[in-house]
Amino acid sequence: MFRTVKGFHDIYGEDIEYWEKLEGALKKLYKTYGFKEFRLPVLEKTAVFNRGIGETTDIVEKEMFTFTDGDGESVSLRPEGTASLIRAYIENGLGNPPGVKKYCYMGNMFRRERPQKGRFRQFTQSGAEVLECESPLLDAEMITLLLDAAKAAGIEDFVRMEINSIGCPECRPAYRKKLTEYFSARREVLCSDCLRRLDKNPLRILDCKNEGCKRVSEDAPVILDYLCGECGSHFDSVKKYLEKLGTPYTVNSRMVRGLDYYVRTAYEMVTDKLGAASAVGAGGRYDGLVRLMGGGEIPGIGFAIGMDRVVSLMKEKERIAERKADVFIVFFSGKAEKIGLSLVKELRGAGITAEYDYDVASMKSQMKKANRSGARFTVILGENEIESGKAALKDMESGSQKECNLADLAETIKKSLV
Ligand code: ATP
Ligand code: MG
């Protein structure tokens, strides 16, 4: 027997109902905010991520599925969407003509992490990115949109929004120095990953999920005390606009994000319900990323929602049963088949989910299958009914049965389904 690759899983059955509901709600929501869908490839040249996400991030250091393509090129399954989207924006010349660009995407991402609750090697993100706008009002709107996404999924009671400013290349060096001093004096409690991070990227230590590292991080210097004037006032404006928009948030001065490209506003929508996998969606501003990837001086901001985690929360909130057929059609084999099958076709054409027995077995056996199928109605085409151009329509919930003209059947069923 074959099994899935570690960290990969099948999605089926009633889970599909939650996924469809979430996908539909997000697509609708993005549209109302003026976002255009972008479909990105799942495979990119590894350099896109090395450059875009950063060489010293967990993702690039140890989480990517990377292999050499037949022609000797190093390629990777995408671990996130932003770097790919920026690659696409530059490659396709989307900066011309200039103006605010809003893109959204939905798709599978791949990270070679240790699988656990809410953490898989193939997972699905839904993301939104806005380019060519520096206004703090946009930051406030993106944070609001992320919370609106939780509302659209019906899980707003389970999440809260945390925001921070992580400064810019102007203000970060002084902070980084202070942080290095602080953690260097406490080396003995750091995990082996963080000892490495200490030299290369000490901010990463604040993002470590190890208990010991989390504890020392609590008293570490905070970036907000080191923001330059411009970053400080940008952050103040973001908060002011969040208040104007009526979007609830708390400042978490210890939040940094796991990706190198962020500057200024960082935000995370978190939950207490998924153990260590607490972030349901997260994002930030990335003003230097387009230039870093070979494009112009273009500001940007975005977020990605972990849809698998949202689905887990939706399942706690609400039980959605697997969808059943609307009607099961029962008919005699032989001369009734033609009428039966054309009725199936007609009902499906009218948007009604119709099933029947492919074996066209005995009426008794077909009735059994209709019962087992869980269909809302059974349509019975017996000999008498066919003679008179009628069918029996049985309501499987109440058990009541009535005669109905074949010509009116689709209308009658549709009316009873709402
Ligand atoms: P975490 O801190 O949980 O590792 P992250 O900071 O690495 O998250 P991002 O890169 O910001 O995550 O991705 C955005 C969202 O994607 C996360 O908030 C989370 O909901 C989801 N996500 C990230 N990695 C995984 C994973 N391995 N499995 C499932 N969902 C994930
Ligand atoms: Mg991670």
Side-chain angles (χ1 to χ4, degrees):
M1 187 178 69
F2 294 112
R3 292 186 173 279
T4 54
V5 173
K6 182 179 174 186
F8 289 64
H9 60 279
D10 304 311
I11 301 175
Y12 59 93
E14 63 179 28
D15 280 7
I16 295 296
E17 306 296 333
Y18 295 89
W19 279 94
E20 280 196 349
K21 184 176 171 194
L22 178 58
E23 288 158 2
L26 290 177
K27 280 196 174 176
K28 211 164 124 194
L29 177 66
Y30 291 140
K31 216 177 230 172
T32 65
Y33 272 78
F35 283 76
K36 301 273 158 58
E37 190 184 337
F38 217 109
R39 300 195 182 188
L40 296 155
V42 289
L43 200 68
E44 295 270 1
K45 293 177 183 170
T46 304
V48 168
F49 303 120
N50 288 355
R51 176 69 70 84
I53 299 171
E55 302 271 4
T56 62
T57 56
D58 281 357
I59 294 178
V60 169
E61 272 184 346
K62 55 183 188 192
E63 295 176 357
M64 284 208 292
F65 284 93
T66 296
F67 59 95
T68 308
D69 196 7
D71 54 14
E73 180 129 56
S74 176
V75 291
S76 298
L77 288 175
R78 61 179 181 188
E80 55 110 57
T82 308
S84 303
L85 187 101
I86 301 304
R87 191 266 312 134
Y89 171 81
I90 300 170
E91 181 176 349
N92 298 302
L94 301 179
N96 266 322
V100 179
K101 310 286 167 6
K102 306 198 226 181
Y103 303 115
C104 59
Y105 60 84
M106 212 175 272
N108 296 132
M109 305 295 159
F110 305 85
R111 297 186 192 176
R112 222 175 160 286
E113 304 194 68
R114 196 168 62 79
Q116 52 187 286
K117 190 176 180 191
R119 199 175 290 285
F120 315 102
R121 291 185 169 185
Q122 176 180 314
F123 59 102
T124 307
Q125 280 186 343
S126 160
E129 318 278 354
V130 180
L131 294 161
E132 300 182 52
C133 180
E134 225 171 351
S135 167
L137 175 52
L138 172 61
D139 302 42
E141 185 169 280
M142 291 300 279
I143 292 164
T144 306
L145 171 56
L146 182 53
L147 265 180
D148 276 353
K151 272 190 207 139
I155 56 153
E156 70 270 28
D157 298 344
F158 293 162
V159 298
R160 59 177 193 281
M161 186 63 71
E162 295 189 344
I163 68 167
N164 196 18
S165 175
I166 54 172
C168 69
E170 287 277 306
C171 35
R172 230 175 284 158
Y175 174 61
R176 189 186 155 129
K177 190 158 165 276
K178 272 278 171 308
L179 210 55
T180 309
E181 281 166 21
Y182 175 84
F183 283 121
S184 297
R186 291 161 182 81
R187 276 173 186 277
E188 63 292 348
V189 285
L190 296 180
C191 71
S192 57
D193 277 340
C194 282
L195 285 174
R196 246 182 331 106
R197 292 173 180 136
L198 189 52
D199 298 320
K200 288 210 252 169
N201 197 343
L203 263 78
R204 271 295 87 70
I205 300 174
L206 299 174
D207 202 31
C208 184
K209 309 247 169 353
N210 182 294
E211 280 308 319
C213 304
K214 265 165 95 172
R215 228 170 300 120
V216 268
S217 289
E218 275 167 25
D219 297 316
V222 299
I223 180 91
L224 290 180
D225 296 334
Y226 295 83
L227 293 186
C228 65
E230 277 181 44
C231 285
S233 61
H234 192 271
F235 192 47
D236 286 341
S237 300
V238 174
K239 290 186 285 187
K240 191 187 73 194
Y241 279 128
L242 282 171
E243 273 136 38
K244 283 189 182 162
L245 288 165
T247 303
Y249 68 90
T250 50
V251 173
N252 173 359
S253 59
R254 258 160 261 282
M255 184 226 304
V256 291
R257 303 273 309 116
L259 303 103
D260 272 357
Y261 50 58
Y262 288 118
V263 294
R264 294 191 169 170
T265 316
Y267 49 103
E268 268 187 1
M269 188 163 75
V270 294
T271 181
D272 302 322
K273 291 194 170 288
L274 293 174
S278 63
V280 177
R285 181 164 273 290
Y286 47 78
D287 293 345
L289 182 60
V290 179
R291 181 174 31 76
L292 185 73
M293 296 208 50
E297 201 61 61
I298 303 288
I301 181 170
F303 64 72
I305 298 168
M307 292 175 69
D308 308 73
R309 292 182 191 177
V310 175
V311 165
S312 295
L313 294 178
M314 287 168 78
K315 286 167 92 169
E316 283 208 22
K317 182 81 190 178
E318 176 194 16
R319 234 196 82 76
I320 313 179
E322 189 175 356
R323 208 168 314 165
K324 299 292 190 336
D326 297 325
V327 271
F328 197 102
I329 299 165
V330 167
F331 52 91
F332 277 111
S333 63
K335 68 175 185 186
E337 277 179 4
K338 193 157 186 269
I339 299 174
L341 293 175
S342 68
L343 184 62
V344 171
K345 198 164 155 187
E346 185 197 331
L347 296 186
R348 286 178 177 167
I352 295 165
T353 310
E355 297 274 22
Y356 62 97
D357 176 17
Y358 295 114
D359 294 331
V360 202
S362 72
M363 290 297 266
K364 196 172 154 207
S365 145
Q366 288 187 49
M367 281 307 293
K368 246 193 218 159
K369 286 186 184 163
N371 264 320
R372 246 185 287 139
S373 77
R376 181 71 183 74
F377 295 97
T378 300
V379 170
I380 305 151
L381 286 173
E383 247 163 341
N384 295 342
E385 282 94 354
I386 288 175
E387 298 287 323
S388 55
K390 291 194 164 130
L393 179 62
K394 184 174 179 189
D395 183 326
M396 303 302 277
E397 263 173 25
S398 65
S400 69
Q401 189 168 320
K402 62 178 179 189
E403 281 222 318
C404 191
N405 283 327
L406 281 180
D408 306 331
L409 204 52
E411 247 345 275
T412 311
I413 292 172
K414 270 193 144 168
K415 274 200 204 115
S416 341
L417 282 172
V418 284

